[in-house]
Structure formats: structure tokens, C-alpha cells
Amino acid sequence: MSTAAAPVPPARHTDATPPPRPPSPHRLASGPQGADALRPLLATVLDALHTGDRTRGGPLPAGGPEAVTARIREAVGDVLPEDGDPTALAVLVHAFAEHAADPAHPLCAAHLHCPPLAVATAADLAATALNPSLDSWDQAPAATALETLVTRALARLAGAADALVTTGGTEANQLALLLAREAHGPGVRLVTGANAHHSLTRAAWLFGLPEPVVLPAPAGTLDPAALEEALTRLPGPVLVAATAGTTDAGLVDPLPEIAARCAAHHARLHIDAAYGAGLLFSDRHRTTLTGLDAADTITLDLHKLGWQPIAAGLFAVKNPDDLAPLGQRTDYLNADDDTDAGLPDLLGRSLRTTRRPDILKIAVTLKTLGRTGLGALVDQVCAHARHFAALVDAHPRFELHAPPTISTVLFRPAHTTDATVAAVRRTLLTEGRAVLGRARLDGRLWLKATLLNPHTRPEDLATLLTLVEGHTPR
Ligand SMILES: Cc1ncc(COP(=O)(O)O)c(C=O)c1O
């Protein structure tokens, strides 16, 4: 046995004198000085968020697009000045916050646009600072391992086997159509309801698929009898896309009936649960999604009912082999010999190349709140919707479309025209008083309240109704 001393590994940094500290705007967000560089900047950002919110004082800025554009132009000044301006962070973040539509304001309730949890937002900062990119393992060792664990767990929650991270529901729906085309050939035809999200028919156009069949959905959901008739009539392979949580009304298609018809006709089934998937966290509301596990592919989106900063989409598959067509080889990212040597091959987990670790904020949220913590938030927003619907229903000057299924309430002032409904919404927007959506259902225009803020109080909902009433001409 040799008695020679073990070789000393080379020092990781051979230059004994540290490099000179760069001027503060040139400092980097990660590395040994990253936290020190960020700390004062974060204090500036947090102060500007606070002062911006206070100056706005409502859910969105008053004055409409013209006023906002003028104010932002003034704050930016020269977009690319010859010399830098150290106050840019404070000035622009303040203006950005002051002129934002803040989804955390209880009167901001138009879209599937949730207020993100602080803990998720903080985690997202770490993702941004370290800047891993999930197109190769050598750029994202931790993110790779985390994404693998978390996507599998979320896929299992939805009754699927694997899931990819997407930029949202649109990209997930696009993957559903692309993989249906790969599985069934370019003649596969999309059959969906008029209640489905526009990204589905757009994806059919994008991928050159046959003209989709869009079935009327007068009740707001896909009618299984109309689907049966279409499946019987149509030649060739079919992809049926059902919706669990419609954009306009938060309705859930009759998933078990649709799944049974797809099975009988050997049609592939995609379920767009971009909105509804969050119900999976709730003991009380999970059964609304009964039948979801029959889908071949599922869209989930935690920047809707999941309190994540954008982006936080997922695309789940029942059969992991369906993902094979996304495989791609390029020597600089996943050379065969690297893969053979055990480096994970990630390129086939997205159509994107450079890809943010959106999984970190999701993982932190799941672990911090747990399923029951997230389920409680789901239960709260669903309860808010029921409460708001009850207020509308009890009010003689309002009409309720239907009791809510998730957290969307459609309502309108009674005895008014569609033009008045549209004008009320725009006036509330331009005065900066409330952000409500709009939806056309049953041939009429409705105001849409999409309630995604778990901390909204009953009095906020009463205020919302009073505001609409006050802005409706008698
Ligand atoms: C049912 C449904 N699917 C898909 C989408 C698209 O999601 P994203 O905007 O995240 O792309 C939406 C958006 O609201 C939606 O409501």
C-alpha cells in the first residue's frame, strides 16, 4: 500500500485576489454576492409595490388606456438613455404597480387571473436569480430532479401517469392536438363544444388538422347526445375535447357520459381542466371532476385556480409513450453518449428549448400549504361564488344566470339591454372602480365575476353589487 499523500485537488479559484466589485447596477443576482446585491434592490421593489398600490387605491387605475399610457410614458421617459438612471427600478416599479389591475384587490374579478401567493412569488424569485434552464441537465440539475418528482405527483392527482410543464392552458391544449395527430395521423378531427376554449380550434389550425366540428352548447356544456350523433356520423379518427371549468361560466362538461361515448367510438379524449383542475385539491369539490381520469390527455393550469404567478401550466398524459414524438436530439444539449452515461434527456419534455423552472414555485406551494391548505383556498373561493350568487339572486334589480359550479358568477342588471351591460362594465373599468368580465350565454350578454381571491370578504361582494347597481341607468 502506498504511503504517498493523496494528491491535493486543485483550488477551485486560482486567482488569490478577488475581482474588483462591479458597480452596483452591474452586479449579478446569483453567485457569492447575489443575495447581497439583491437585498437592497428587493427593499426598493417592495417599497415601490407598496407605494404604487397605495397611490392607485383601487383595483385598477382610473382614466382608461389613454391616462395609463401617458403616465407610463412619463415614468419611462427616454427608453434607452445614453447614460443609466439608478432610480429606474424605483420609478418604473412604482408606475407599474400604480397602473396595474391587481388581482389581489377584491373588486378585480374579471378573468381566470389569480392573485399569486406570496410564498410562490418568493420561490419564483429564487428561480429567476439562479436562472436554470430545463433544456439540459447541466443548466438545471436541481430543477430537473424537482420537475420530475412534482410533475409525476400532479399527474397522479389527476389520474394520469406523467405531466409536462407548459406556459399555460394554451400550450397544453396545443400539445393535446399535436400528440393526437402523432398518435392518429394528420386526418384526426377535433370535435368539441362551442363552450370550449378558443386555443383548441386554433391549435387545429396551427397543426393543419381538418376543420374542427364545434357542437353547439346552448346550456354552456357539451351535450353528450350531440356528441354521440357526431361520433356516429364522422368518418376517421377523432379527438374529443371536453372542458372541466369553462372560461365563460366555470361549468364542467358531463365527463363520465362523454368518456363513455369516446370509449364506445374509440375516440381519443382530451379534457381541458385549465380552470377546474384546482378542484382536485378539495375534499369537498373533487367529485365535480369525476371522469377526469378517463382522459388520454389533460390540461391543468395552476395560474388559474392554484394561486401561482404566471406561468404554471401542465399537460398530463395517461400513457407516457404518447410523449415519444416530442423527443429531439441535438448534440449540444443531449448527445447520445451523455444520455447513455446517465445525464437526463429533457429536450423532449417541451417544444420550447430554453425553459424556466416554473416548477419551483409550484413545489414550494404544494409543500407549504399541503393538499388540505390548497383545498381550503379552493373551498373559500367556491363559497364566495355561492354567496355572491345568493346576493344577486335576492336582489330585485339583478338577474342571476345560474348557481355557480366553481367560482364564476354570471349576472346582469334586470330589464336592461346588452349594450347597457357592456357599457356598465366599461364605465367601471375606466373609472378604476371594478374589473368585471363579460360572457355571452343563452344569446345574452352577462357580467362575469370570476372569484379567485380567497381573502375577499362578504362586504366586498356586497360592494361589487352596489357599484354595478349604481352604474346602471334606471
Ligand atoms: C378553459 C381554458 N382553457 C385554456 C385556457 C388558456 O390558458 P392560458 O391563458 O393559460 O394559455 C383558458 C384561459 O382562460 C381557459 O379558460
Side-chain angles (χ1 to χ4, degrees):
M1 193 179 162
S2 165
T3 53
V8 178
R12 299 188 79 183
H13 298 287
T14 48
D15 188 353
T17 49
R21 210 174 150 104
S24 72
H26 296 187
R27 292 172 75 189
L28 304 178
S30 57
Q33 290 156 12
D36 286 343
L38 275 174
R39 201 165 278 117
L41 300 177
L42 283 183
T44 301
V45 166
L46 297 179
D47 284 349
L49 283 175
H50 183 64
T51 56
D53 178 79
R54 236 187 14 216
T55 316
R56 176 176 11 91
L60 82 165
E66 257 178 47
V68 173
T69 305
R71 184 62 191 90
I72 294 296
R73 184 175 290 137
E74 183 191 323
V76 176
D78 186 354
V79 171
L80 182 60
E82 206 46 33
D83 298 312
D85 174 0
T87 68
L89 182 66
V91 170
L92 285 187
V93 175
H94 174 92
F96 201 68
E98 182 185 347
H99 298 92
D102 183 359
H105 193 288
L107 302 183
C108 187
H111 298 286
L112 286 163
H113 172 210
C114 68
L117 288 165
V119 73
T121 309
D124 214 20
L125 173 68
T128 302
L130 286 162
N131 217 18
S133 178
L134 280 148
D135 45 331
S136 64
W137 187 83
D138 54 2
Q139 300 174 86
T144 301
L146 191 64
E147 187 177 274
T148 306
L149 289 168
V150 175
T151 49
R152 300 262 155 83
L154 285 170
R156 276 198 301 277
L157 186 71
D162 197 1
L164 306 183
V165 176
T166 70
T167 50
T170 299
E171 187 187 341
N173 285 344
Q174 287 171 353
L175 286 170
L177 269 82
L178 179 63
L179 296 189
R181 186 190 76 181
E182 294 306 297
H184 300 281
V188 67
R189 189 182 298 275
L190 171 68
V191 176
T192 192
N195 59 339
H197 193 259
H198 68 262
S199 56
L200 288 159
T201 47
R202 206 177 194 196
W205 162 78
L206 178 65
F207 297 125
L209 301 184
E211 188 62 25
V213 171
V214 178
L215 302 169
T221 52
L222 184 57
D223 174 14
L227 178 64
E228 173 71 32
E229 191 278 320
L231 292 177
T232 307
R233 165 172 61 84
L234 286 168
V238 162
L239 168 69
V240 172
T243 309
T246 60
T247 315
D248 278 351
L251 298 172
V252 177
D253 284 342
L255 304 180
E257 288 92 326
I258 290 169
R261 281 162 167 97
C262 288
H265 291 273
H266 307 291
R268 188 177 172 97
L269 175 59
H270 172 65
I271 298 181
D272 177 356
Y275 181 8
L279 300 179
L280 290 167
F281 297 118
S282 159
D283 287 330
R284 178 166 185 176
H285 293 284
R286 192 181 314 129
T287 52
T288 308
L289 297 182
T290 299
L292 184 70
D293 57 357
D296 295 290
T297 54
I298 304 171
T299 289
L300 306 90
D301 195 346
L302 296 176
H303 66 228
K304 298 190 175 18
L305 197 57
W307 298 283
Q308 294 304 297
I310 299 163
L314 292 146
F315 171 69
V317 290
K318 185 189 275 179
N319 179 1
D321 294 342
D322 280 359
L323 299 175
L326 296 177
Q328 179 73 38
R329 291 253 158 231
T330 189
D331 208 57
Y332 81 104
L333 294 174
N334 59 353
D336 284 340
D337 55 310
D338 274 351
T339 305
D340 291 345
L343 292 189
D345 169 12
L346 306 172
L347 209 50
R349 295 195 60 86
S350 180
L351 286 174
R352 288 175 280 158
T353 305
T354 297
R355 190 157 65 80
R356 272 176 63 78
D358 287 319
I359 207 65
L360 178 60
K361 64 199 173 196
I362 296 175
V364 167
T365 302
L366 297 177
K367 192 152 178 64
T368 306
L369 276 77
R371 186 188 62 77
T372 55
L374 276 163
L377 298 185
V378 170
D379 293 351
Q380 273 159 20
V381 294
C382 292
H384 293 156
R386 287 196 304 276
H387 178 71
F388 187 59
L391 289 181
V392 170
D393 208 24
H395 198 301
R397 292 197 63 209
F398 283 102
E399 203 178 325
L400 176 69
H401 178 262
T405 302
I406 308 180
S407 66
T408 301
V409 180
L410 299 186
F411 67 109
R412 53 181 275 151
H415 317 298
T416 45
T417 61
D418 285 356
T420 302
V421 172
V424 168
R425 186 185 95 89
R426 276 192 297 272
T427 307
L428 291 169
L429 277 181
T430 42
E431 290 183 2
R433 291 178 194 276
V435 193
L436 284 169
R438 51 181 278 164
R440 192 165 286 285
L441 236 90
D442 300 341
R444 290 196 295 163
L445 190 65
W446 299 84
L447 294 172
K448 175 171 80 165
T450 311
L451 301 170
L452 291 178
N453 182 344
H455 307 304
T456 293
R457 301 158 307 168
E459 52 269 38
D460 298 320
L461 298 171
T463 303
L464 187 57
L465 205 56
T466 306
L467 268 174
V468 177
E469 186 185 7
H471 283 74
T472 306
R474 281 190 184 259

